[in-house]
Amino acid sequence: MSPDSANNKAVFPAQGQRELRKGNCHYCGYLCGFDVAVEDGRVCDLAPDPTRYPYDVSVASRCRRWRMNLDDIDAPDRLNYPLRRVGERGSGQFERVSWDEALDDIARRLQALRQTHGGRTLASAIGGPHATFWPLHRFLNQFGTPNNMGIGQICWDPRIWMDAVTFGWPTEPDLCDHTGVMMLWATNPAVSDNSLFWAQIKAKHEAGMPLVVVDPRKTATARLADVHLAPWPGTDAFLALALLNIIIEEDLYDHGFVESWCLGFEGLRAHVAPYTAEVAERETGVPAESIRRAARLFATKGPGLLLSGRGIDQLGPNTEPTVRSLCLLRAVTGNVDRPGSCVVNTRSDFCQEADLERPDLFASELRAQQMNTTPLQSYAGYQLVNAHAQRFGCTLPERYLTSAHPGQVLNAMVTSDPYPVRALMVMGANPVLTYANTKLVLRALESLDLCVVADYWLTPTAQLADYVLPVAGGLERPSCQIHGGVANIAYGGAAAIAPLYERRTDFEILRGLALRLGFEDAWPHTSLEAEYNALFAPVGMSFEQFAEQGLYAPPITYFKHVQPGSDGEPRGFATPSGKVELASSLLEQLGGTAYPQPVPAACARADLAQGKLVLLTGARSQPFWASSYFYNESFRASHPYPLLGMAPETAQALGLAEGDWVRVYNAQGEAVFKLTFEDMPLGVASAEYGWWLPEQKPGAPSYSGALVSNINMLTSNELENCETLIGTWTYNGIEVGIENASCPAEFATV
Ligand SMILES: Nc1nc2c(c(=O)[nH]1)N[C@H]1C(S)=C(S)[C@@H](COP(=O)(O)OP(=O)(O)OC[C@H]3O[C@@H](n4cnc5c(=O)[nH]c(N)nc54)[C@H](O)[C@@H]3O)O[C@H]1N2
Ligand SMILES: Nc1nc2c(c(=O)[nH]1)N[C@H]1C(S)=C(S)[C@@H](COP(=O)(O)OP(=O)(O)OC[C@H]3O[C@@H](n4cnc5c(=O)[nH]c(N)nc54)[C@H](O)[C@@H]3O)O[C@H]1N2
Ligand code: SF4
Ligand SMILES: [Mo]
């Protein structure tokens, strides 16, 4: 069975009663289209659909996950029926119940908790972009709680917020024929991006496009680079400000764009004056000459595409100044809404995510009660920034960008301070592995009155639940990703089959609860398909029509700021000044600084003599994804151990050898890894994240091996150590010690 791109048809062996349907993979955010062979309502084969977005031979051949769509659907450990806890909380013992029993009881208990403590007593936890979160957000708005936790503060939100305050609205990289130079900052698409993107970067590079990569590790992406800058973790803001300094001082900036469209250039010139290449060399460890080379390449070979990733979204206090400096680099080089650089997004033609969330149902006085004291990532910050976007008819998605601070919410579960949080709904997340401070997560989950987890598997987090609800997988549900609600793009497709066993979609679960709580008004559509029909109604399209191509993406328009607005004048940018704000008036209003102000990294430099190392966590590896796919035996065989990388010289200084088991520890906790050599600065180490062992016994005390090699045992999200505007905590650049350890029993048989 193989995709036959010559005649654009999937080729399956001839079979009797098989029907060919379309479906979408959900094992990463791209939702690739598949041709699915179905017999008696069951999937019996599948192949990438060469007619639908984002098909390319390179995706199908590089991605190791798509076959799982077949393997997982009837996997013995997949959740098929609602489960209710029977033993102690965390015992991992459950009994099968009917959906009515489960939803009736959950609704009854939620109602009782709401009567005692108010709606705010319910929190939610979400994770990465697998799932559709607007149904949850609509439910929370109705229930009356502001305490939705997410991972936005350390994934995506820093970029969205900094784009919005600088350019008025989020932007998107525009890799195309026009792109003249590319700078990839703290992202490793060679490993983290299964889509076409990496193949496109390689092809462009082979055709002569220079590539600059900024990453402490010499990643597969960095190995391709013409210039690789390897700063000490967390020192990137100094590097970015030095690039700005060089570009301005060497007169390499885009005079036309700066003069017509940027606010605060002379102030920026003065602000970056002290950040010379030599100062940056001292702060970052990157040779001044390499910094100059990178600055000249990016400023002179444009259009330049500058894309940043998770590495700098997770730098604690240095996240805001770093991410914002990169916005300024794009601005002064004129790489804004210009073909080949980045596109300023526009509002969607179809319903906006914000409207699906129904913020109108949420009482405004509850917003002030949110466990969130950060001025930008909060309802107040959202309202301030969004008011400007709305001049262009755009509304930013609300709940993700205003999500509560997990450090505070988890703490309130344990202490009831500032008020009791007694119930939690977890959807599309595995906080025991992926949230900071695992010990706090465990204490918080153990202390709840009601914990409901919806997932495909009995994850370590689900093992602590009162109810575990089985979710319909990719092929069993219609899908439509609307890019977090910040762009005019939608992709997805129809369900290939109806959900098997008693699985349900997140939408159906939440609607079921909403109806039981008397919230039916906001749920007029009985199915997700009907919701998606309504979503596309403004573009005169049905979901079925959308699903044919599986992509709604009108042609990109560039240079929108020079197009006439309603008054006939160029419409500019959706910022307070109508210009790209090099000096940010919004950040100043929120108590921040107009220009990016780096702070010394909490732990940028190692001291090997004192046994002090600097740790990066969570660098992406294949074929896993966060805490997912560890149940896949062939994946585990190909990647059997949790790895910790460091340079051979660092290992030598610590008396360690490649292949040793090592214990990584700090005041917060410890975890065990196998040592591997990687090219990175002396004294820096990099640990994988997400590791648990689904084959191990569920329930306390070990939760299927979730506490052995869990790097979040060593991370923390206490508010006082977080970035002050967004609340970003630190996953990269934490202080640890590393020493020899014996092989943990859990891995002894591998
Ligand atoms: N130390 C450290 N921690 C990190 C990071 C790091 O780099 N270092 N990275 C952070 C980042 S960027 C992210 S995004 C998070 C990821 O954190 P999570 O999102 O918590 O991690 P996943 O393993 O993707 O967990 C998703 C869970 O949802 C389930 N699931 C998948 N699709 C659906 C669905 O449609 N509905 C429902 N109900 N469940 C579904 C999966 O089976 C899985 O158990 O981790 C963060 N944590
Ligand atoms: N295989 C796989 N793919 C994934 C995921 C996964 O878990 N597995 N997760 C998905 C998710 S949730 C996300 S958010 C994306 C993330 O996608 P990316 O942003 O591409 O994430 P990484 O591949 O970890 O690359 C981040 C890089 O930042 C570097 N870094 C760390 N600290 C610093 C620093 O202080 N400065 C600089 N300059 N660089 C630093 C790390 O060395 C790492 O190479 O990947 C997605 N794709
Ligand atoms: S790239 Fe992502 S969506 Fe596409 S087949 Fe691979 S895991 Fe599935
Ligand atoms: Mo993420």
Side-chain angles (χ1 to χ4, degrees), residues 127-128 130-131 151 154-155 310 314 428-430 434 454-457 459 471 477 506 617-618 620 625-628 689 711-712 731:
H130 292 276
I151 41 80
I154 49 86
C155 179
R310 177 197 65 80
Q314 305 181 344
N430 190 3
T434 58
D455 206 300
Y456 307 140
W457 311 92
T459 63
V471 173
R477 66 187 192 217
D506 293 310
T617 73
R620 278 28 183 172
W625 172 291
S627 68
S628 295
Y689 94 120
I711 201 60
N712 281 320
Y731 282 148

Side-chain angles (χ1 to χ4, degrees), residues 28 65 128-129 154-155 159 185-189 191-194 214-217 219 229 231-236 308-312 314-315 616-627 686 689 732-733:
C28 79
R65 297 190 193 120
I154 49 86
C155 179
R159 281 168 267 171
W185 202 301
T187 175
N188 182 18
V191 174
S192 67
D193 194 309
N194 285 22
V214 185
D215 197 311
R217 299 160 56 233
T219 59
L229 311 178
W232 288 317
T235 62
D236 298 70
S308 74
R310 177 197 65 80
I312 56 167
Q314 305 181 344
L315 292 182
L616 310 175
T617 73
R620 278 28 183 172
S621 56
Q622 289 284 350
F624 304 117
W625 172 291
S627 68
S686 169
Y689 94 120
N732 291 318

